[in-house]
Amino acid sequence: MERRPRTFDVTVHQVIPFWRDIRVIQIAAQFIFALVTILIILTLVNNILTALAAIGQRPSLDFWQSPAGFDFAEGPGVRATDTTLRAFTVGLINTLRAVGVGLVAATILGILVGVALLSRNWLLRTLTQAYVEIFRNTPLLVQLLFFYQGVFRALPQIQEATVLPGPVYLSNRGLVIPAVFTTETFPLWLTYVLVGMVAGMVVWYVRARYQRDTGQPGHQWLLGLLAVIPFAVVGWLVIGPPPFGINLPQPTLFERPDGVTVIRRIEGGEMITPEYASLVVGLVLYTAVFIGEIVRAGIQAVPYGQIEAARALGLTYGQTLQLVVLPQALRVIIPPLGNQYLNLAKNSSLATAIAYADVFQISKTLMSQTGQVVTLFASVMLAYLTMSLSISAVMNWINARLKLKER
């Protein structure tokens, strides 16, 4: 039997040398890039440590337990004898207070602005456009200083505080409102509320399934919330003392030489300082402008035929907006909305310009007290990084939930 000649020619199909293999070259290039990056970072760290050692400083974590050395009353407040770690934590809490309120308020106001920009009412649309142009084309720092120096610090002094129903006292030291606090029966009442929330979730699931099966409105959100109310009311009546109490502001009066009685100071209640109010108002008004433009663009991205179809079905303007336009526009709105949320969180560091005791302002004071500049700057960066990544994770989750599922 004749043997067939071999068709594989070794001279033609030679093995590629490793220095010409594209996979080996790519791996080697990445390894060299990573090595150079690490060397640059190590060099920078060494230079920083050498410079700090030359002036007698060395990064350490021991200073966290040392006394802060100063006190402030913003938020939970800090005394001079409290630790540096507690002062930093309170600063972080104050930042989260401003960012949390700012995100919610800016979202609500931004939606209203976006809808008003498309309104048929000429006066409402024109005023909204004027608001957008003013706040979009002026720096946020200037706006914060204007609200602080030109609005809240320009209010009457404490002796001539404006008394509003509540009682609420408004002066250049801030807004003092009645404070609500929890009592010892609050945990027991909260148990009733949690049981009610479980019942509400069951009602929501049943009604949502009814809507899906029959096509009829299930009103699952309304009925789910209504299911919680009886448990909350019964719990309030059964536990005895109310789970909440109110701490009313108590002014201390004194008589001036001219015989006029004025307010010396106000104790009790909850104080909203001019610094906090200026920061929140500035962040909300500035960010709501951009959110409004995003909402307007999202609404206009919905095909006009959808709106005409809704009108043909007899839906009102509000029903069309709620049931047809906004659900579709959200898919366009959510991705850029996350960027605005990140901007609001990072812009909160401008609070240092109006002496609001946020994490950056407190850290600057701690740097002068402890000399741990590198450690505190790294801690501030880590705090903002964690906050931004958390916001991004939530927005990415929401975007994934609203995204159209394609096969």
Side-chain angles (χ1 to χ4, degrees), residues 77-107:
V78 168
R79 296 181 178 178
T81 54
D82 290 334
T83 62
T84 301
L85 179 60
R86 172 175 165 73
F88 183 86
T89 305
V90 171
L92 183 59
I93 292 174
N94 289 341
T95 297
L96 295 177
R97 286 174 58 217
V99 172
V101 175
L103 289 178
V104 175
T107 303

Side-chain angles (χ1 to χ4, degrees), residues 114-377:
V115 174
L117 287 173
L118 299 174
S119 174
R120 299 176 181 175
N121 188 307
W122 178 86
L123 180 60
L124 176 61
R125 187 176 65 253
T126 304
L127 291 176
T128 307
Q129 288 174 343
Y131 157 64
V132 170
E133 295 301 329
I134 291 173
F135 281 85
R136 184 172 58 180
N137 295 296
T138 53
L140 176 58
L141 179 60
V142 176
Q143 296 175 21
L144 292 178
L145 292 174
F146 169 77
F147 285 119
Y148 182 60
Q149 297 290 351
V151 178
F152 294 102
R153 296 297 293 178
L155 292 173
Q157 297 182 353
I158 186 67
Q159 293 83 1
E160 302 172 352
T162 302
V163 183
L164 302 174
V168 176
Y169 298 88
L170 181 63
S171 69
N172 61 355
R173 295 187 184 180
L175 182 68
V176 186
I177 61 175
V180 179
F181 61 91
T182 59
T183 63
E184 65 276 4
T185 59
F186 175 75
L188 182 58
W189 178 77
L190 184 60
T191 304
Y192 281 89
V193 175
L194 292 176
V195 173
M197 292 176 66
V198 174
M201 293 172 63
V202 173
V203 172
W204 181 91
Y205 176 77
V206 172
R207 297 302 301 177
R209 188 170 182 178
Y210 169 79
Q211 178 174 326
R212 185 174 63 252
D213 294 340
T214 63
Q216 300 296 321
H219 305 293
Q220 57 268 28
W221 288 106
L222 176 62
L223 295 177
L225 292 175
L226 290 177
V228 181
I229 296 177
F231 290 89
V233 174
V234 171
W236 191 292
L237 298 176
V238 169
I239 60 176
F244 297 100
I246 299 179
N247 182 12
L248 296 176
Q250 300 293 336
T252 301
L253 307 177
F254 79 100
E255 185 176 350
R256 294 191 310 199
D258 57 359
V260 178
T261 302
V262 296
I263 299 175
R264 180 193 296 273
R265 62 178 178 273
I266 300 175
E267 297 179 347
E270 182 71 23
M271 168 75 80
I272 300 176
T273 62
E275 293 81 9
Y276 177 77
S278 303
L279 178 64
V280 171
V281 170
L283 289 176
V284 169
L285 292 180
Y286 182 77
T287 310
V289 167
F290 297 95
I291 293 178
E293 288 288 351
I294 293 172
V295 172
R296 179 191 59 79
I299 292 175
Q300 289 182 326
V302 178
Y304 194 71
Q306 299 275 339
I307 300 175
E308 291 180 332
R311 290 175 180 171
L313 292 174
L315 298 182
T316 63
Y317 178 76
Q319 289 174 329
T320 303
L321 198 63
Q322 177 186 356
L323 301 177
V324 179
V325 177
L326 285 181
Q328 299 182 73
L330 280 177
R331 297 190 180 97
V332 182
I333 291 173
I334 292 299
L337 187 64
N339 293 332
Q340 295 305 319
Y341 285 171
L342 294 177
N343 289 337
L344 187 147
K346 290 181 288 188
N347 287 338
S348 66
S349 62
L350 293 175
T352 187
I354 55 176
Y356 176 67
D358 73 329
V359 65
F360 185 42
Q361 174 70 13
I362 295 300
S363 298
K364 285 172 43 182
T365 307
L366 292 175
M367 290 174 195
S368 62
Q369 295 281 351
T370 63
Q372 295 293 329
V373 178
V374 176
T375 306
L376 284 167
F377 261 123

